[in-house]
Structures are given as C-alpha cells and as structure tokens.
Amino acid sequence: MMKVIDLHCDVLYKMQKDPKLTLHTEEEGKLDVTRARLAEGNVNAQVFAIYVPEDEPMEPQTALHQAELFWSKVLTEPGVKLIRTAGDLEEAERTGALGALLSLEGVDSLRGQWWSLRLLHRLGVRLLGMTWNHANWAADGAMEPRGGGLTAAGRKLVRECEKLGILIDVSHLSEKGFWELRELASRPFFASHSNARAILNHPRNLTDDQIRALIQVNGILGITFVPYFLSGSDTVRIDDVLRHVEHICELGGAGHLAFGSDFDGTDSHVSGLSHPGGYPALAEALLKRYPESVVSGFLSGNASRFLRDNLPKR
C-alpha cells in the first residue's frame, strides 16, 4: 500500500471544543482522523493545524492551547514522531513512525506579538497560513471582499517566518496577497489545501497563473477533499477529485501535487473519502490513469521532497 502525507486536518480545533476527544475516539461523527483510520489509509505523516475560529478569543493563549493539545494528545501516542526538521522526517520515513507536523492556520490570535510566533515555533510550528478567509492584521483572506494584500506587519511576518524556518501556506490568502508574497518571498511557499479554480470557480481555489507560480517557485499544492471546493454537485465523488488532479497535471504540476484533506474541517465529505481510511480507494482510482511512480508522488513523494528540501536540516 502506498504511503500518504496529508497536509491539513483540523483535529486540534475539535479537541479544544470537546476535551474528551482523543485520537482513539471511534464514536461516529466525532472525528474524521483517528489512529486507526490513519493506519488504514497508510498515512505516514499528518499535518495538524492550529485553527482559532472567529467566535473564540483572539489572543495568543487560544493558539497556545491547541499547541498544548498537539503535545498532550498527539505526540504522546506510541509511534508518533514530532517533525521539526528534514532529519526528523527522514527518520520517521525510515522507521515507519507516524510523522506529526504542526501548522498555524491564520495568525489573527497572535495579534502581531512576535514573542508568540517565536514560542509557537519552539513548540513545533513549521507551516503557517497568514489568514483564514477574512482580513486580519497581516493580510486579507481569500473571501475578504476588498481583496487587499499584505500589510506592513504582514511583510514583517514573512521575513520573520523565513528567519525561523517556517514555511508560508497560501491556501487562504487573497490573490493580491499571493502575488505580493511571490515578489517578497526568498524561499518556496505552498498551498496546503486548495483546488483548481478553472475546474470550480471558488475564491478559495487557485487560478492557473497561481498554480504556475507555485510550480515556478518549486512549491506544492495540496488538493483538498472539501466537496464545495471540488464540484457544484450535490453528491461529490472521487472522480471530482481526479478532475482537479488532471487539470494541475496539464499545467505541468504533476511533480508539485499533493493532498491536504481538511478532514475534521468540513461537515460534508466526498463519497468514499470521508476519512483517512479512504486513501487506498483514491490511490486505486489514480492508478487507473497514472503510472505508479507518479501516483506515489501525488500521495507522499512530492510533499516529502518539498518538506525535506525546505524544513531546517537539523
């Protein structure tokens, strides 16, 4: 069975809302991502996002609470390895451990307080999206009507992240912010969970020019399984995921394509792909259209290369 790297899930947010939840919670409808389902899908590395919704206090301690849950409820699991460096990832791949990476989805709660960014970095954050859907102190999000770009503080944030070795995630960033980042960034950036706007016209999906730019900077694009980013149909199937895969490949992105499920971040699911245990079915569908070496790249190889090339070496 092919190994999988998944670039985005929202388990930590659900754990914060319901302290009884663990990675062993099997009650239907509680968690998409569990240890059993990760094993079923042969997921060998999972990115766990810190996400602070708008109805929560926008203070650093809210993000820190989810970082603590990552340490107390994820990293305490047997066979789970914290990934902070390229060497950590290589060791996890060699030993068969489940690699766990920590990301921050939106910096609203940091409120421009740089100590909180540095502390989250010490706690393991290596991937960072500047916004969720709306505007904050750093940038405008993809759903912000005014469509602004980066603020002066947002530009400083990019520089601070590059100094710390934190990779910038553009999945929720406005188009203007994307292009300003393209001009400002000295290191590759990526999209953890976005699809192709040419296939479905949604502000959270990326235009062909944005996808080409990600390819040019040697970034990656994690296709997400959120149904309303995939298709306008009432029932969304794995074939709808493949349409986005095909389009990105047509743009030259076969070596830059990955998956970022957004499991536990959506209440609706692709038929047959409602949790990590569905990855083998996706792999089977991909293998009908692409060589095994290419599919292996989609599922883990491209993301592994990107992370090994751009995370701190040690």
Side-chain angles (χ1 to χ4, degrees):
M1 193 188 306
M2 292 186 182
K3 293 181 179 180
V4 172
I5 293 178
D6 188 307
L7 294 172
H8 190 88
C9 79
D10 282 304
V11 169
L12 299 178
Y13 165 65
K14 283 191 173 180
M15 287 179 170
Q16 183 183 29
K17 298 293 282 186
D18 184 351
K20 296 189 296 294
L21 294 178
T22 74
L23 285 182
H24 295 280
T25 298
E26 297 292 346
E27 186 179 344
E28 192 64 32
K30 290 292 188 178
L31 284 180
D32 300 335
V33 175
T34 65
R35 277 305 299 273
R37 288 170 169 176
L38 289 167
E40 184 183 353
N42 206 30
V43 177
N44 74 310
Q46 176 68 61
V47 175
F48 294 84
I50 296 171
Y51 166 63
V52 179
E54 294 172 308
D55 60 351
E56 294 286 336
M58 287 298 170
E59 299 290 343
Q61 60 261 33
T62 316
L64 293 171
H65 182 190
Q66 290 187 31
E68 191 281 328
L69 291 171
F70 176 71
W71 278 83
S72 63
K73 291 196 172 187
V74 176
L75 296 182
T76 53
E77 287 284 325
V80 174
K81 179 173 179 56
L82 171 64
I83 306 301
R84 285 190 281 203
T85 67
D88 291 337
L89 181 60
E90 290 164 2
E91 183 180 343
E93 291 176 340
R94 184 175 65 254
T95 62
L98 171 64
L101 296 95
L102 187 59
S103 70
L104 177 62
E105 184 177 27
V107 299
D108 308 53
S109 62
L110 304 191
R111 301 181 66 178
Q113 299 182 63
W114 304 111
W115 67 263
S116 58
L117 176 69
R118 292 190 291 270
L119 180 54
L120 283 171
H121 174 262
R122 287 178 178 269
L123 291 173
V125 167
R126 292 296 181 271
L127 314 169
L128 179 147
M130 300 175 72
T131 64
W132 189 58
N133 284 334
H134 308 301
N136 62 22
W137 59 268
D140 273 16
M143 304 290 284
E144 184 65 39
R146 67 182 177 181
L150 309 183
T151 66
R155 290 174 174 271
K156 181 177 179 181
L157 175 64
V158 173
R159 292 190 291 269
E160 291 295 318
C161 285
E162 292 194 336
K163 287 178 188 174
L164 290 169
I166 297 174
L167 301 171
I168 302 290
D169 179 0
V170 299
S171 274
H172 281 277
L173 191 59
S174 67
E175 278 193 66
K176 185 174 182 183
F178 178 100
W179 293 113
E180 290 179 354
L181 175 67
R182 173 71 178 88
E183 292 300 314
L184 179 64
S186 61
R187 303 186 62 208
F189 49 88
F190 75 110
S192 64
H193 59 306
S194 295
N195 295 334
R197 197 179 301 183
I199 301 300
L200 185 74
N201 186 16
H202 190 288
R204 273 280 285 105
N205 289 340
L206 300 180
T207 67
D208 286 359
D209 284 344
Q210 288 177 301
I211 293 169
R212 291 189 186 99
L214 277 175
I215 295 168
Q216 288 168 0
V217 302
N218 208 23
I220 49 170
L221 190 159
I223 288 181
T224 186
F225 306 148
V226 177
Y228 44 88
F229 298 156
L230 288 163
S231 170
S233 302
D234 291 336
T235 301
V236 181
R237 298 178 172 84
I238 287 177
D239 279 350
D240 294 303
V241 178
L242 299 188
R243 291 168 62 224
H244 290 264
V245 171
E246 289 169 358
H247 184 74
I248 293 164
C249 289
E250 288 169 0
L251 296 174
H256 302 267
L257 191 148
F259 293 103
S261 64
D262 208 2
F263 288 138
D264 289 303
T266 177
D267 294 328
S268 56
H269 297 92
V270 174
S271 179
L273 197 53
S274 60
H275 58 73
Y279 268 115
L282 175 61
E284 183 179 354
L286 288 165
L287 286 167
K288 293 177 180 177
R289 304 188 186 206
Y290 301 97
E292 183 175 343
S293 60
V294 174
V295 175
S296 178
F298 295 162
L299 292 171
S300 65
N302 297 337
S304 176
R305 185 199 66 245
F306 174 78
L307 292 169
R308 285 186 282 107
D309 286 349
N310 293 293
L311 288 174
K313 297 305 176 188
R314 297 187 179 279

